[in-house]
Amino acid sequence: MTEEQLQALLQEMTTAEKVGQLTQFAGAFYSEQEDSTPVTGRIEFPVDEEMIKQSGSVLGVAGATKLAAIQREHLKKSRLGVPLLFMADVINGYETIFPIPLGLGATWEPDLIEKLQTISAKEAASAGLHISFAPMADLVRDPRWGRVMESTGEDPFLNGLFAAATVRGLQGEGSLIAKDRVGACVKHFAAYGLAEGGRDYNTVDLSERELRDKHLPAYEAALDAGVKLVMTAFNTVHSIPATANSALLRDLLRGELQFDGVIISDFGAVQELIPHGVAENEAEAAKKALEAGVDIDMMSLAYTHSLAALLDKHAIDSALLDEAVLRVLQLKNELGLFEDPYRGVSPQKEQAIVGHPSHHAFAQTVAEKSMVLLKNDNVLPLTKETTVALIGPYADNQDLLGEWSIFGKPDQTTTLKQAFQGHFAHAMYATGSHLYERDEALLTEATMVMEQADCLVLALGEGKDRSGEGRSRSSITLAPCQIELARLAKETGKPVIVALFNARPLDLTELEPYADAILECWHPGSEGAQAAVALLSGEVNPSGKLTMSFPRATGQIPVYYNAYQTGRPLPPGSNERFFSRYIDIPNEPLYPFGYGLSYTSFSYSNRSLSAVEWDGSASLTVSVDVTNTGKIDGVETVQLYIQDLVGEVVRPVKELKSFQKITLSPGETRTITFEITHDMLQYYHSDLTYASDSGQFRVYVNGSSVCEQENTLTFSLVKS
Ligand code: GLC
């Protein structure tokens, strides 16, 4: 349709039809075969036939046949033949499930993410979906929050690269969305990752400067990549819920950042303005949300119940309603729905695409790159001939797909035990304990199996039932029954290797001494077990690097690499009292941002700068020699951090500015160079101007965010 035709359609619409375009209900209300109890669970939801008939989009159902039936039924009833939009959370895969985003981040490969999201889009589109609620671009610092699994970590720059890659992968290039792509929706705008105490839906309170300096960059990267939708966060920003926040949505997002796509609320968030305490009733909630810029009211009845009456009373400007509806119609048009409401989808095509073996093969490759070797006291890799005992609640467990795997097939997921059987000739198995409960019989069986093996692999972790939305934990330790397993294994005196399946940084302080090696596998997706065996056996050399710090204790949270120094930074190794520290643990996390081991080793030497004084023009070149000092090929992510030593406001002790992932053969040395450009030195000042300051900067180049001061370089920016 042309713009004129869309405008003409808008003019033809009744108020009820316009309001309908701004409502989204769960699929349970559209298809009988869905579970009759709608997904609300939290609020009374009296949806009637008229509301369904008028609605504009559907949440959380997929399937070529099912969606075609819903669309057909809808078009029969739609006076003007406006097709439905189908939206769902395809975050890390549709049916072929990839590692959780916190694992995807550990690949440090945006191109890889773009490719996997292209596969996700192809599978989702073939199943009739139009929009995916991804990327989640929230910066996170608190692993008590169950949704850290959905993020790519604590760094603004890295989060931005992954958010943009996800948008490109899902949508493709250009304004129209091809039939094998879906529209992307960046969420949750904004700063949901800062929920106080890591408690879901809790208050967020941060300065405008922090919002812009740390949290906005990743959302902006998605906007720059052309993301079609933005989803509002449940939380407050400057004491106003994001869903009713005109300064955030109209002034910043639509005004300053020039976003002219669709803004959709999160699930029920418009109605939740009432319990938030900024709306007395649904009508006030609807008015505030529409005036703030929310186009689609997801799974609340505020718009449906109230907008028409508000219009009649001239309590809202009809132009606001029209502009919101037009954006929804434009989105449907960009998907080609007016020409073909079914977008050429068919069960035959779906069957040929979804779960294709090539997708699964790629999922294994991604999982292999996502896993992070946290510890290895020369016990990995295992040899095929090793008599190995695989023990633990994750030894034979299909719960590998992670929280956002609505359309995945857990019952078809290979377990670690099955993958072991295909690889190790002499392997034994025992569950040892339940995930969270001790079991004497299981323990007895496991201790007997331990006695017969030469090497013990413990498959431990936390299930998806403790991960994702609404699953904040007050403590991030491993279950005591699992620690007991590790202690018993250690007491055998045999090599103990831990393969960890979890979806948040855990407190591994108690586990660490019992393990000779720890491989962080995350919830690794459909082919995660095969990937874990490929790494444990040395077929693949681990290369993942953490994008979120692992605290030593829950009490250490928040701990993140790009923190401010404070006026009393603790001198390394000091035990002095009056410094910023805890008296019972060191300040450093157990495992830092950017950290990950390999089966080989790397050395860094000859760090140099092309100048020690720079006026900010062109660029400044940093170079370093990286050597593979081990005996096998290895992949290293060389990381460049910069510290602004004196700013107009306090500045992080370091900030990731660039990285290069390289492969080196044994003994090979390669000179790696980075170009420092002026934009890397800019930041938001106290008056919110974005600029650099003349002065001294320190440069860190290493294989993680940890780099001894003697291995750093400094330069002066001397602006004319
Ligand atoms: C949930 C989540 C959001 C998701 C939406 C639809 O509450 O907060 O990330 O996209 O509802 O499922």
Side-chain angles (χ1 to χ4, degrees):
M1 270 183 150
T2 64
E3 197 57 26
E4 293 69 28
Q5 288 171 316
L6 289 176
Q7 288 285 359
L9 172 60
L10 177 65
Q11 297 319 315
E12 266 193 271
M13 292 172 112
T14 64
T15 298
E17 286 165 341
K18 289 179 183 177
V19 172
Q21 288 303 306
L22 306 188
T23 61
Q24 178 173 106
F25 299 128
F29 295 103
Y30 295 79
S31 75
E32 298 66 46
Q33 53 268 59
E34 285 295 308
D35 171 1
S36 59
T37 49
V39 290
T40 60
R42 292 172 304 115
I43 49 177
E44 179 47 43
F45 217 78
V47 172
D48 64 33
E49 274 311 304
E50 185 57 19
M51 294 176 186
I52 296 299
K53 173 186 163 191
Q54 297 298 357
S55 62
S57 59
V58 184
L59 165 66
V61 282
T65 303
K66 186 186 298 180
L67 297 193
I70 293 174
Q71 189 74 282
R72 197 171 304 113
E73 192 56 31
H74 178 80
L75 289 171
K76 269 193 244 167
K77 300 172 191 167
S78 169
R79 182 177 71 90
L80 295 170
V82 180
L84 286 167
L85 273 173
F86 294 109
M87 306 191 193
D89 298 277
V90 179
I91 311 286
N92 44 290
Y94 172 73
E95 183 184 294
T96 305
I97 303 297
F98 295 90
I100 56 172
L102 196 58
L104 297 179
T107 67
W108 289 59
E109 285 193 34
D111 292 348
L112 192 78
I113 304 317
E114 181 173 344
K115 188 176 172 190
L116 78 86
Q117 293 294 3
T118 301
I119 291 172
S120 302
K122 197 174 286 184
E123 292 196 357
S126 76
L129 285 172
H130 302 141
I131 302 293
S132 171
F133 295 125
M136 186 269 219
D138 305 339
L139 182 137
V140 294
R141 291 172 174 165
D142 192 329
R144 291 172 294 184
W145 192 43
R147 302 195 73 165
V148 298
M149 53 73 61
E150 202 175 338
S151 78
T152 46
E154 65 195 46
D155 181 73
F157 169 64
L158 213 47
N159 288 347
L161 292 177
F162 286 122
T166 299
V167 172
R168 290 193 302 271
L170 289 174
Q171 291 183 178
E173 308 288 341
S175 68
L176 297 183
I177 302 170
K179 289 184 176 175
D180 63 349
R181 303 281 187 162
V182 293
C185 173
V186 65
K187 66 188 183 182
H188 306 81
F189 199 74
Y192 185 12
L194 272 200
E196 269 179 16
R199 207 176 80 223
D200 223 340
Y201 318 114
N202 203 5
T203 303
V204 167
D205 197 6
L206 78 171
S207 68
E208 180 69 12
R209 208 196 69 77
E210 279 296 305
L211 173 68
R212 288 170 176 271
D213 213 51
K214 304 290 186 308
H215 300 267
L216 215 49
Y219 304 118
E220 282 185 88
L223 297 176
D224 293 346
V227 72
K228 293 294 180 185
L229 295 93
V230 174
M231 182 186 293
T232 63
F234 287 118
N235 53 278
T236 53
V237 175
H238 305 328
S239 304
I240 300 174
T243 308
N245 197 319
S246 290
L248 184 73
L249 303 181
R250 283 210 184 275
D251 302 345
L252 176 56
L253 180 58
R254 290 212 187 280
E256 190 178 327
L257 301 179
Q258 298 290 298
F259 177 65
D260 61 1
V262 170
I263 297 178
I264 184 169
S265 79
D266 202 338
F267 191 115
V270 175
Q271 194 128 8
E272 290 173 10
L273 296 177
I274 301 169
H276 261 300
V278 293
E280 250 184 272
N281 50 45
E282 272 186 344
E284 189 177 3
K287 173 178 167 60
K288 285 198 167 186
L290 187 73
E291 287 175 347
V294 174
D295 298 318
I296 297 179
D297 174 9
M298 179 200 291
M299 278 302 287
S300 106
L301 296 166
Y303 278 18
T304 301
H305 281 164
S306 313
L307 284 186
L310 287 165
L311 269 171
D312 289 348
K313 292 186 296 189
H314 303 292
I316 54 171
D317 178 351
S318 64
L320 291 184
L321 179 72
D322 286 352
E323 74 176 36
V325 176
L326 184 60
R327 280 191 282 262
V328 174
L329 297 177
Q330 285 167 336
L331 177 59
K332 295 183 177 186
N333 202 37
E334 285 164 1
L335 282 153
L337 291 178
F338 291 105
E339 286 72 31
D340 176 6
Y342 306 95
R343 295 214 321 153
V345 164
S346 75
Q348 294 73 19
K349 281 186 193 169
E350 178 185 33
Q351 191 165 13
I353 291 169
V354 168
H356 191 278
S358 65
H359 299 172
H360 279 257
F362 188 64
Q364 179 170 337
T365 300
V366 176
E368 289 163 358
K369 293 181 172 209
S370 73
M371 295 179 181
V372 184
L373 184 61
L374 298 177
K375 179 178 183 182
N376 184 23
D377 291 350
N378 295 319
V379 292
L380 283 177
L382 299 170
T383 60
K384 280 188 185 248
E385 297 66 43
T386 308
T387 304
V388 58
L390 174 62
I391 295 168
Y394 255 99
D396 199 19
N397 189 331
Q398 291 184 306
D399 181 9
L400 299 173
L401 304 186
E403 170 61 10
W404 278 125
S405 54
I406 306 166
F407 309 106
K409 299 250 189 296
D411 56 344
Q412 294 174 19
T413 303
T414 304
T415 69
L416 199 59
K417 175 180 177 182
Q418 291 160 344
F420 260 64
Q421 284 165 336
H423 203 93
F424 295 103
H426 318 290
M428 291 163 270
Y429 308 94
T431 305
S433 80
H434 300 295
L435 260 179
Y436 315 120
E437 293 83 35
R438 188 180 190 279
D439 181 307
E440 193 58 41
L442 291 177
L443 197 59
T444 305
E445 179 202 17
T447 45
M448 287 162 62
V449 167
M450 287 183 195
E451 284 159 15
Q452 300 164 51
D454 299 334
C455 168
L456 311 177
V457 175
L458 302 184
L460 309 176
E462 65 171 4
K464 82 172 199 174
D465 63 341
R466 290 197 171 186
S467 152
E469 184 177 352
R471 299 234 178 81
S472 301
R473 289 181 62 189
S474 67
S475 162
I476 56 168
T477 55
L478 263 181
C481 59
Q482 296 187 34
I483 297 293
E484 180 182 25
L485 260 186
R487 180 175 52 76
L488 291 172
K490 180 69 179 174
E491 286 167 3
T492 67
K494 297 173 181 177
V496 176
I497 292 141
V498 172
L500 208 49
F501 297 87
N502 50 301
R504 58 165 40 98
L506 292 175
D507 164 2
L508 302 179
T509 299
E510 196 176 2
L511 173 78
E512 197 272 341
Y514 297 140
D516 300 301
I518 302 174
L519 180 65
E520 175 56 75
C521 301
W522 312 111
H523 287 162
S526 303
E527 300 302 332
Q530 303 289 11
V533 167
L535 267 62
L536 293 169
S537 66
E539 248 176 53
V540 173
N541 187 356
S543 62
K545 299 277 189 179
L546 296 178
T547 61
M548 187 175 184
S549 307
F550 273 53
R552 291 176 186 277
T554 303
Q556 190 180 34
I557 294 169
V559 58
Y560 48 95
Y561 91 91
N562 43 3
Y564 298 129
Q565 185 149 273
T566 80
R568 293 199 180 186
L570 181 66
S574 162
N575 211 15
E576 284 298 312
R577 177 177 170 188
F578 297 106
F579 287 91
S580 180
R581 59 180 282 244
Y582 298 99
I583 59 172
D584 52 353
I585 57 169
N587 274 0
E588 296 71 27
L590 188 62
Y591 301 113
F593 176 88
Y595 171 83
L597 299 175
S598 167
Y599 290 148
T600 186
S601 51
F602 300 96
S603 69
Y604 287 68
S605 57
N606 302 328
R607 294 176 174 86
S608 68
L609 279 170
S610 54
V612 288
E613 277 205 6
W614 177 43
D615 65 2
S617 62
S619 64
L620 191 63
T621 304
V622 186
S623 68
V624 61
D625 289 345
V626 184
T627 303
N628 178 341
T629 51
K631 299 185 176 60
I632 60 169
D633 288 358
V635 174
E636 172 68 328
T637 300
V638 183
Q639 300 156 46
L640 168 72
Y641 298 84
I642 296 178
Q643 177 182 12
D644 186 344
L645 291 171
V646 179
E648 187 256 352
V649 295
V650 292
R651 307 284 289 117
V653 292
K654 57 172 75 80
E655 297 176 288
L656 179 71
K657 294 297 179 183
S658 186
F659 57 90
Q660 292 180 41
K661 197 165 177 181
I662 60 172
T663 301
L664 294 176
S665 51
E668 180 186 0
T669 294
R670 193 176 309 162
T671 298
I672 303 297
T673 61
F674 293 98
E675 295 307 318
I676 293 177
T677 52
H678 179 254
D679 64 287
M680 292 180 181
L681 310 184
Q682 301 188 94
Y683 66 96
Y684 281 95
H685 285 56
S686 57
D687 63 357
L688 298 185
T689 55
Y690 192 67
S692 66
D693 303 321
S694 292
Q696 281 258 309
F697 293 82
R698 186 174 296 282
V699 176
Y700 304 75
V701 185
N702 216 0
S704 89
S705 59
V706 177
C707 182
E708 302 313 321
Q709 182 125 319
E710 63 264 22
N711 294 326
T712 63
L713 305 161
T714 56
F715 68 87
S716 294
L717 177 66
V718 182
K719 298 202 298 187
S720 45

